[in-house]
Amino acid sequence: MHYYFAPMEGVTGAVYRRTHHEFFSGVDKYFMPFITPTTNEKLTPRQKRDVLPEYNEGVPAVPQLLTKSAADCIWAVNALHDLGYPEVNLNLGCPSGTVTAKGKGAGFLAHPDELDRFFDEVFAKCEGISVKTRLGVHEASEFDKLLEIYNRYPITELTIHPRVRQDFYKGKVRESDFAAALPRCSMPVCYNGDLITERDVSAVSERYPDLPAVMIGRALIADPSLVMRLTGGKAADAKMLETFHDTLFVRYCEAFGDSRIAMLRMKEIWFYHLNLFENSEKTGKAIKKAQNAAEFQAAAAAVFRDCRVRANAVPLWFKPA
Ligand SMILES: Cc1cc2nc3c(=O)[nH]c(=O)nc-3n(C[C@H](O)[C@H](O)[C@H](O)COP(=O)(O)O)c2cc1C
């Protein structure tokens, strides 16, 4: 089984990926949060700070594109190949209203004929493209037509998040629809969605013994040694988690040149990471309320000192349907 770190915009940027990879073994690929290729065929300075190889040294990182323009996709895929990335991922899963309103991300799934023409143009000029998709926009049955299209192109790997766009991240994943689709996929498939514990991952492996890969997002932010444990390593103790956390904070301070911005980035991580600690509600509130770096560091230190590390995260981020 291969283990992938899911892309998470605003969370798994270059600093996070590098630091996680340095502390925790086992992740085979780190997917970068999406970038939208510009029409002027240049990466923006901000995109460069995440994507350029010097910011990803030693990390098996895969860039991701969010676009519905074949021309923009073609230049960006080839530019990323030239930078040394053999694989570029295409985002067909983002459910955000601002993205789907423009027909991108999961919004592209509403226009299968357009998607077919897009692939036709892109694959005539590019290779090394993987895709991350949902099952559809409104209904999982939309996946029949989408998969018929995907199967006609040399997509290197298809990551399926078995929800539709309208689900956002709410309710249970549509497990039976994934099970029905899997044998009909002609390319290697990666499963993504709501894997929290080692048990969850082994259940997926047992259910789908030929599945080559799983991708984990929120639970890996919550519990950064999850994949290390899955690949035979030891669980991180509070000391290791604290060292990882403090290193990350110092590096964000350096990267942003501003400890307040670094703190805000760390608060995004704590939204998930707090779920790994017992009785962390009170200290967690102090992290949320922290106004400056000193308050933040004191509150974070209190969690590592006072709250027991759970064997697995308890995902309070789950939302009912
Ligand atoms: C804050 C946040 C940002 C995300 N950013 C991206 C992104 O840039 N590209 C993408 O393909 N998916 C993105 N996702 C979706 C995740 O990659 C993943 O598919 C989702 O969290 C479900 O997996 P999980 O249950 O293991 O977290 C994002 C999700 C969240 C919660």
Side-chain angles (χ1 to χ4, degrees):
M1 178 66 82
H2 290 105
Y3 297 100
Y4 302 156
F5 210 133
M8 289 178 64
E9 222 256 309
V11 187
T12 63
V15 171
Y16 188 90
R17 295 192 297 271
R18 249 189 356 258
T19 310
H20 184 274
H21 189 60
E22 202 176 302
F23 277 74
F24 305 101
S25 58
V27 174
D28 295 292
K29 290 182 196 173
Y30 289 78
F31 284 78
M32 302 184 195
F34 67 77
I35 57 170
T36 301
T38 55
T39 46
N40 68 2
E41 307 205 354
K42 285 198 179 101
L43 292 170
T44 66
R46 190 159 176 252
Q47 292 173 342
K48 283 185 183 167
R49 281 197 295 277
D50 201 50
V51 163
L52 289 187
E54 57 257 46
Y55 297 101
N56 293 283
E57 239 172 71
V59 181
V62 179
Q64 187 188 62
L65 298 176
L66 178 83
T67 183
K68 63 169 183 175
S69 151
D72 296 349
C73 188
I74 290 166
W75 82 256
V77 168
N78 288 326
L80 291 163
H81 286 334
D82 289 346
L83 285 173
Y85 296 107
E87 175 184 351
V88 178
N89 187 256
L90 178 69
N91 180 325
L92 294 177
C94 181
S96 147
T98 49
V99 167
T100 56
K102 294 181 197 142
K104 298 185 206 170
F108 211 165
L109 305 179
H111 310 284
D113 295 334
E114 209 180 296
L115 185 63
D116 196 1
R117 282 194 296 277
F118 169 90
F119 279 143
D120 205 39
E121 276 187 62
V122 168
F123 281 105
K125 300 241 168 82
C126 302
E127 51 190 33
I129 299 174
S130 59
V131 167
K132 182 163 179 277
T133 187
R134 289 185 179 238
L135 296 172
V137 179
H138 300 283
E139 302 287 340
S141 58
E142 294 164 35
F143 200 63
D144 289 344
K145 170 115 202 233
L146 294 167
L147 186 56
E148 188 265 311
I149 296 168
Y150 294 155
N151 278 341
R152 276 192 280 111
Y153 294 96
I155 292 168
T156 56
E157 190 170 42
L158 184 68
T159 296
I160 302 177
H161 178 71
R163 286 190 169 97
V164 296
R165 185 264 164 175
Q166 293 301 91
D167 295 334
F168 289 84
Y169 294 105
K170 293 194 293 266
K172 280 198 163 38
V173 289
R174 296 169 184 254
E175 179 75 48
S176 60
D177 295 299
F178 177 80
L182 184 60
R184 293 187 287 120
C185 296
S186 63
M187 67 295 278
V189 170
C190 169
Y191 171 88
N192 165 245
D194 298 0
L195 300 176
I196 309 297
T197 66
E198 292 100 310
R199 182 73 212 116
D200 292 341
V201 176
S202 44
V204 168
S205 312
E206 279 157 28
R207 225 170 296 141
Y208 313 110
D210 297 329
L211 186 76
V214 292
M215 175 186 275
I216 308 175
R218 294 166 293 181
L220 204 41
I221 302 289
D223 179 2
S225 78
L226 173 61
V227 169
M228 189 159 87
R229 300 198 301 278
L230 282 162
T231 51
K234 270 184 23 182
D237 58 13
K239 181 92 204 98
M240 183 176 185
L241 292 171
E242 187 168 17
T243 312
F244 170 63
H245 172 277
D246 292 353
T247 306
L248 207 48
F249 184 54
V250 168
R251 289 181 182 175
Y252 280 141
C253 288
E254 281 163 13
F256 296 128
D258 182 328
S259 64
R260 254 188 70 79
I261 300 177
M263 174 184 76
L264 294 177
R265 183 55 69 101
M266 294 301 295
K267 288 186 182 187
E268 298 287 328
I269 291 166
W270 273 109
F271 176 74
Y272 300 101
H273 195 34
L274 265 182
N275 296 264
L276 188 63
F277 296 89
E278 283 175 12
N279 306 317
S280 57
E281 294 76 13
K282 208 168 143 205
T283 25
K285 267 199 194 119
I287 291 178
K288 269 182 226 146
K289 281 194 189 154
Q291 294 290 323
N292 56 48
E295 283 176 22
F296 167 74
Q297 282 170 299
V303 175
F304 294 114
R305 188 188 61 229
D306 301 336
C307 305
R308 271 170 67 115
V309 180
R310 291 180 167 133
N312 283 111
V314 174
L316 295 178
W317 63 81
F318 274 178
K319 293 194 180 85

